[in-house]
Amino acid sequence: MADTKSHPGQKNMLRLSSLALAATLALAACQSAPQQQLGPDGKPLPVAYKITPKEEAQIAPRVLGQINALRANVAATPLTESPMLDTAAKAHARDMAAQNRAWHFGSDGSSPLDRVRRQGYMGHLIGENISETYENDITTLNAWMQNRDTRDVIMDPQASEFGIGWYQEPSGKIWWALLTAGGSSATAMAVGGFTPPAGAAVAPL
């Protein structure tokens, strides 16, 4: 369950793998690039991605479409969006901002499994990806795809549902949380391979 962390000064958050590249380029035309301002040195100033009310409605279906395009490349079944997983992810994104820390435990000590159970979700939780960044949803997804642990959460063949949540601070920093699960199983199971993060967040490759 590795985390990703980036800063607005980074020009490229990641090197896209060939798998992620095809689906990413398909979306490039759909996203308008923000106009950049030049600093005193003549170089573009970093621009934090701003989640507008219009973007709010587009993020989940955009990420879902991107994930399913990636999963189709390896013949994995497509995911569907779960309102319960969305709610759990959004609550944790806001809680990470309150803690000012990107990690998998809530301020009340809750685990990802605890949080989805609170929302009434009784399927098999596969994993949770989190990120503290100034980047948009697609760039964050691509960063997760560059790390084996976070990629496995997205590409797990047992996954059938997903949820995504975010919270943007006034500074522009965004806290992202993504959950995947298998809704067909009613057995409560711990997150596979989940261990508390030790030290700093893991940067993307």
Side-chain angles (χ1 to χ4, degrees):
M1 305 293 171
D3 311 332
T4 62
K5 184 173 182 179
S6 67
H7 300 282
Q10 290 180 294
K11 291 183 179 179
N12 295 309
M13 189 178 177
L14 50 98
R15 296 193 306 270
L16 299 181
S17 68
S18 58
L19 178 64
L21 182 60
T24 302
L25 290 179
L27 275 171
C30 300
Q31 293 181 287
S32 58
Q35 293 183 347
Q36 288 190 321
Q37 296 180 344
L38 300 181
D41 58 359
K43 296 181 179 179
L45 294 172
V47 178
Y49 169 64
K50 177 65 177 176
I51 301 177
T52 64
K54 181 179 178 180
E55 281 287 287
E56 287 267 352
Q58 296 175 351
I59 289 173
R62 184 165 60 210
V63 172
L64 179 60
Q66 187 84 335
I67 288 175
N68 284 339
L70 294 168
R71 289 174 65 87
N73 288 336
V74 295
T77 56
L79 304 184
T80 58
E81 187 177 1
S82 164
M84 288 180 284
L85 295 179
D86 279 346
T87 301
K90 288 177 181 178
H92 189 53
R94 183 175 288 272
D95 188 52
M96 285 191 294
Q99 297 184 72
N100 195 31
R101 183 174 185 179
W103 72 330
H104 295 282
F105 289 105
S107 55
D108 59 356
S110 62
S111 70
L113 184 62
D114 294 331
R115 293 189 291 274
V116 301
R117 292 290 183 257
R118 287 174 185 170
Q119 300 305 321
Y121 188 89
M122 299 308 293
H124 167 52
L125 179 63
I126 290 171
E128 176 184 76
N129 289 346
I130 57 177
S131 179
E132 174 190 2
T133 183
Y134 290 84
E135 308 275 343
N136 68 16
D137 48 296
I138 297 304
T139 304
T140 301
L141 175 60
N142 282 326
W144 284 331
M145 288 298 293
Q146 296 305 303
N147 181 282
R148 180 177 178 179
D149 291 340
T150 50
R151 181 173 63 246
D152 287 349
V153 169
I154 295 165
M155 302 298 288
D156 193 301
Q158 296 184 56
S160 61
E161 295 180 281
F162 104 114
I164 187 168
W166 59 89
Y167 176 73
Q168 185 162 38
E169 298 179 356
S171 67
K173 182 187 290 185
I174 308 172
W175 304 82
W176 295 99
L178 179 144
L179 294 160
T180 60
S184 61
S185 172
T187 304
M189 299 181 70
V191 182
F194 176 74
T195 55
V202 177
L205 299 179

